Amino acid sequence: MPFSGRVNKIGISPTMKIAAQAMEMKALGEKIIDLSVGEPDFPTPDNIKNAAKSALDLNHTRYTLNQGTIELRNAIVKKLKNKNGVDYLPEETIVSAGAKQSIFNAVQSLVNDGDEVIYASPYYVSYPEMVTLANGRSVVIKTGEAQNFLLTPSQLEEAITPSSKLLILNYPCNPTGSCYTKNELSSIAEIVLKNNLYVISDEIYENLLYDDKEFVCFASLDGEIKKRTVVVNGFSKSYAMTGWRIGYGAGPANIISAMNKIQSHSTSNASSISQAAALEALNGPQSFIQEMRLEYAKRRDFIYEQLKSIEGVTSHKPAGAFYLLPNISNYFKRSHQLFRIENSFDLAMYLLHEAKVATVPGSSFGAEGYIRISYSTSMENLKEAAARIKYALGNLK
Ligand SMILES: Cc1ncc(COP(=O)(O)O)c(C=O)c1O
């Protein structure tokens, strides 16, 4: 076997298998409705695209500072101060090729062999593999609908051992949409401080929070927690910029400097053009976010009501992001023609073939018994998909 032990330790998620199958079916002319997407279905706003075009015309096509341009980092500092109420210096921020790279670099910077990294399930698919690649040990705390998929302080306390090093938080969460209140975050912060943990707070869905709920940046809770936290955020979801690959981290200067070192020997700076676009995203008009948020809120309400009306399906109402995670385990041990449903993967495959709707099995997020439905698609698609799902589930006996 030519590959390193490292690469052999990580897997390709089952998500990929469903996505590949969906793509094959689409190529064969089938009308698949894709509810497996993890990105906004809106185009990047024009002012941001125009900033990128100007940057090209001005020949801003060279390497930038590895850590990101000073203009962009100043804008990030301003955003963190004005929107989140937390003070950083530009040297306490780093721009990377997506939030994902900042999380990866932070994990690489903080985790030693055997260190325990705690996070809740359902989790974002890349956390386990990032921890594995750093030779850390994942300690996954299972949460369920009854607790609104939120980690409780007592669960966190119970999970802590002398090897605990890092806690990864993600709110609003992919795949559940759940989000912590300030009080809930404060209780978590107390335990973090008592046990000298570090925190990566993945706040990429900050702007997709509905019903006038207040978003609280973890580092803003107090000065001590800020010293132990790397806040990660980005442009993919807030400004519909997934393809631009641009995100950032903010944290204590020594951790950011470690992340910078790792980045300098892997990708170096994020794309200069994407950085120029991101600068406009932060400095330009913000009305796009509100428009997108209102549209997502409408879609969430619609699909939530639809799912609730299906016999045997239960769903929580997500506070944010653009996902729902209905519990479909009542359909296990049922069959239709050649299909036999034993788990969430089987059910997602069944929906793909019978309803022509692509979803993601909960097992990809450490949440067997659920499927993830993304409502980042048109209302028309959601209406059609809901009807097809209802019909296909009704055929399972
Ligand atoms: C929870 C979470 N964190 C991080 C990312 C990565 O975002 P980016 O496109 O900025 O790398 C995603 C993308 O799906 C996500 O859902």
Side-chain angles (χ1 to χ4, degrees), residues 38 97-101 103 124 127 170 172-174 202 204-205 233-237 241-242 245-247 323 372:
K100 193 182 253 187
Q101 192 189 15
I103 302 168
Y124 174 49
Y127 298 153
N170 170 220
C173 169
N174 173 8
D202 180 348
I204 186 91
Y205 292 98
N233 209 322
F235 299 86
S236 287
K237 320 287 171 173
M241 290 176 70
T242 46
R245 309 310 304 126
I246 186 96
Y323 311 106
R372 189 189 76 176

Side-chain angles (χ1 to χ4, degrees), residues 65-237:
L65 282 175
N66 183 67
Q67 203 164 336
T69 64
I70 191 67
E71 292 84 358
L72 179 54
R73 282 184 295 130
N74 279 334
I76 290 167
V77 164
K78 201 165 106 195
K79 180 264 177 199
L80 287 163
K81 165 97 185 140
N82 294 344
K83 187 148 198 288
N84 305 116
V86 53
D87 281 307
Y88 286 101
L89 298 168
E91 56 267 35
E92 293 172 316
T93 64
I94 182 166
V95 177
S96 44
K100 193 182 253 187
Q101 192 189 15
S102 277
I103 302 168
F104 186 89
N105 290 344
V107 171
Q108 286 287 324
S109 300
L110 289 167
V111 175
N112 262 316
D113 288 11
D115 281 349
E116 289 179 356
V117 181
I118 304 172
Y119 48 89
S121 77
Y123 47 69
Y124 174 49
V125 288
S126 292
Y127 298 153
E129 312 300 36
M130 287 183 187
V131 172
T132 299
L133 286 172
N135 285 340
R137 288 211 314 117
S138 282
V139 174
V140 179
I141 301 178
K142 204 170 153 83
T143 71
E145 295 146 280
Q147 63 196 90
N148 206 8
F149 297 113
L150 295 171
L151 188 62
T152 65
S154 57
Q155 278 184 309
L156 176 58
E157 233 159 359
E158 273 166 34
I160 289 171
T161 75
S163 301
S164 305
K165 178 76 181 277
L166 174 67
L167 168 69
I168 305 180
L169 292 174
N170 170 220
Y171 60 92
C173 169
N174 173 8
T176 64
S178 293
C179 192
Y180 296 95
T181 62
K182 187 170 185 177
N183 279 347
E184 287 161 346
L185 291 173
S186 296
S187 308
I188 291 174
E190 242 175 68
I191 299 165
V192 164
L193 290 178
K194 199 165 83 188
N195 294 282
N196 294 321
L197 301 181
Y198 288 92
V199 177
I200 295 174
S201 187
D202 180 348
E203 304 182 0
I204 186 91
Y205 292 98
E206 168 184 18
N207 283 313
L208 297 178
L209 186 58
Y210 313 121
D211 308 325
D212 297 321
K213 289 203 168 70
E214 184 205 8
F215 180 86
V216 178
C217 170
F218 197 68
S220 73
L221 289 172
D222 75 49
E224 286 311 303
I225 205 73
K226 185 185 155 211
K227 287 184 198 158
R228 309 199 67 85
T229 301
V230 177
V231 173
V232 175
N233 209 322
F235 299 86
S236 287
K237 320 287 171 173

Side-chain angles (χ1 to χ4, degrees), residues 18 22 25 31-36 347-360 371 373 381 384-389:
I18 306 257
M25 290 168 70
K31 283 200 86 186
I32 306 290
I33 300 178
D34 195 351
L35 304 187
S36 72
L347 193 90
M349 271 298 182
Y350 172 71
L351 290 179
L352 180 60
H353 286 276
E354 279 296 298
K356 314 282 184 227
V357 174
T359 59
V360 184
I371 54 169
I373 286 181
N381 276 346
E384 175 67 24
R388 290 194 203 171
I389 291 174

